[in-house]
Amino acid sequence: MKDILFLLIMGAVLWIVYAVVSKRSIIPFVKSKDNTQKGNGLSTPSAKMGSGKKKQEQVYEEQEPDLFEDLIEDVVDVKNHLVHLQNNRFLLIAEVSPCNYFLRSQSEQEAIDTAFESWLATLNYQVQWYIQSRYIDLSEPIEEMRTNMMEANDIPFNALEYGKSMLNDLVHWQKSSPRYESKRYLVFPYEVNVSTIEDSNKEELAERIEEKAWTELYRRCNNARSSLRKANMDVELLTTEGILDVLYHLFNRKKALKTKFKNIRDREMLSLYSTADQPQSRVEYVKELISQNETA
């Protein structure tokens, strides 16, 4: 008997809690006031406002912005070692190799600081720093070590087994967790003043504008190269493919680890025209004909 009373009391307590949470009447089989108003077709002003909002939400559909388009909306073309922007603006990008500053002695660090400060003091134009983080890719060194190890004939068996286990550890280390490396770039922007160029033909005017931009930006890059060389930092001008490689890693950070940019280039996927599969000998023959026509 006590167990039955205990179960009835617990059931009543659970029902009261459920009724309060779900906003129902505590007495079973009796509708609450809110439910009766809904059943009679009565609605409060807040309910009307809510229905109006729902209708507005159903009618209005917001379009998400295209991130890729927003980032490169000013880019016209990438060619001749330059990024062509709108309104006769150009970008030249150079990669800077680090100098291991904190591994240097005190005198070497002071020499690096002096050379870097001297270069900054000579700048009377805009220079931008761009640091890009990439996933560490050890596939090429691993393949090179594996090829050298398998082609060598004088390696003992134990050394060969050790080399295989080391390569497997490197592959596992690369795949276990993402690791990054930093690429450092100098970006030189320049805008050509068209009023200083006198030419009537549009084609020649475009060539003159590009030539003037290249001359000025190349001079700035050489100035940075000669000044930063004293600070043990090498500045290397990026080619057109190098600029495309930077942009490819910018928009395909994870994909670039598997689908590498050099593979896209080797498979001729950067060409303007799509062609059928051809043997490598024919591809080399066509490239040779193109080079001969360009030199002629």
Side-chain angles (χ1 to χ4, degrees), residues 182-248:
S182 296
K183 296 288 186 178
R184 301 159 184 85
Y185 300 97
L186 275 176
V187 182
F188 299 92
Y190 180 68
E191 182 176 357
V192 179
N193 188 3
V194 186
S195 61
T196 59
I197 302 175
E198 296 180 358
D199 202 287
S200 58
N201 192 353
K202 292 184 178 180
E203 295 181 357
E204 293 182 1
L205 179 61
E207 293 179 358
R208 293 283 184 84
I209 291 174
E210 182 179 351
E211 182 180 356
K212 184 175 182 179
W214 167 253
T215 303
E216 177 63 24
L217 290 175
Y218 189 69
R219 181 188 68 81
R220 297 179 181 182
C221 182
N222 283 334
N223 182 24
R225 181 186 293 113
S226 60
S227 299
L228 295 180
R229 186 182 293 114
K230 301 176 183 178
N232 296 320
M233 289 183 284
D234 295 330
V235 179
E236 182 180 358
L237 176 66
L238 291 184
T239 61
T240 303
E241 290 187 358
I243 297 174
L244 294 176
D245 185 26
V246 173
L247 295 176
Y248 180 75

Side-chain angles (χ1 to χ4, degrees), residues 59-75:
V59 173
Y60 176 71
E61 293 182 358
E62 183 179 2
Q63 296 181 355
E64 296 183 359
D66 190 351
L67 181 61
F68 185 81
E69 183 179 356
D70 293 340
L71 287 174
I72 63 171
E73 60 181 358
D74 293 337
V75 177

Side-chain angles (χ1 to χ4, degrees), residues 56-226:
Q56 291 179 359
E57 291 175 357
Q58 292 177 357
V59 173
Y60 176 71
E61 293 182 358
E62 183 179 2
Q63 296 181 355
E64 296 183 359
D66 190 351
L67 181 61
F68 185 81
E69 183 179 356
D70 293 340
L71 287 174
I72 63 171
E73 60 181 358
D74 293 337
V75 177
V76 177
D77 197 1
V78 179
K79 63 180 181 179
N80 299 331
H81 308 284
L82 296 174
V83 180
H84 296 241
L85 305 178
Q86 296 179 358
N87 300 324
N88 299 319
R89 292 178 294 123
F90 298 87
L91 296 178
L92 185 142
I93 304 176
E95 184 176 0
V96 182
S97 301
C99 63
N100 292 328
Y101 179 82
F102 294 102
L103 298 180
R104 305 280 180 170
S105 62
Q106 183 67 27
S107 59
E108 291 175 339
Q109 290 182 359
E110 292 178 357
I112 291 173
D113 294 338
T114 303
F116 188 72
E117 292 172 0
S118 300
W119 173 65
L120 293 178
T122 60
L123 296 180
N124 56 359
Y125 45 82
Q126 185 181 5
V127 177
Q128 299 175 354
W129 287 94
Y130 173 58
I131 299 177
Q132 186 179 79
S133 297
R134 299 185 183 183
Y135 287 105
I136 294 179
D137 185 14
L138 299 177
S139 58
E140 292 185 3
I142 290 174
E143 290 299 325
E144 184 178 359
M145 288 187 290
R146 181 179 285 110
T147 302
N148 295 333
M149 184 175 60
M150 299 304 296
E151 291 179 353
N153 298 323
D154 55 347
I155 300 179
F157 177 77
N158 293 333
L160 185 64
E161 291 297 322
Y162 174 76
K164 292 181 180 179
S165 63
M166 184 189 68
L167 294 179
N168 293 331
D169 291 339
L170 286 176
V171 174
H172 176 72
W173 177 82
Q174 183 178 356
K175 294 181 179 179
S176 59
S177 61
R179 292 173 173 85
Y180 306 93
E181 61 178 347
S182 296
K183 296 288 186 178
R184 301 159 184 85
Y185 300 97
L186 275 176
V187 182
F188 299 92
Y190 180 68
E191 182 176 357
V192 179
N193 188 3
V194 186
S195 61
T196 59
I197 302 175
E198 296 180 358
D199 202 287
S200 58
N201 192 353
K202 292 184 178 180
E203 295 181 357
E204 293 182 1
L205 179 61
E207 293 179 358
R208 293 283 184 84
I209 291 174
E210 182 179 351
E211 182 180 356
K212 184 175 182 179
W214 167 253
T215 303
E216 177 63 24
L217 290 175
Y218 189 69
R219 181 188 68 81
R220 297 179 181 182
C221 182
N222 283 334
N223 182 24
R225 181 186 293 113
S226 60

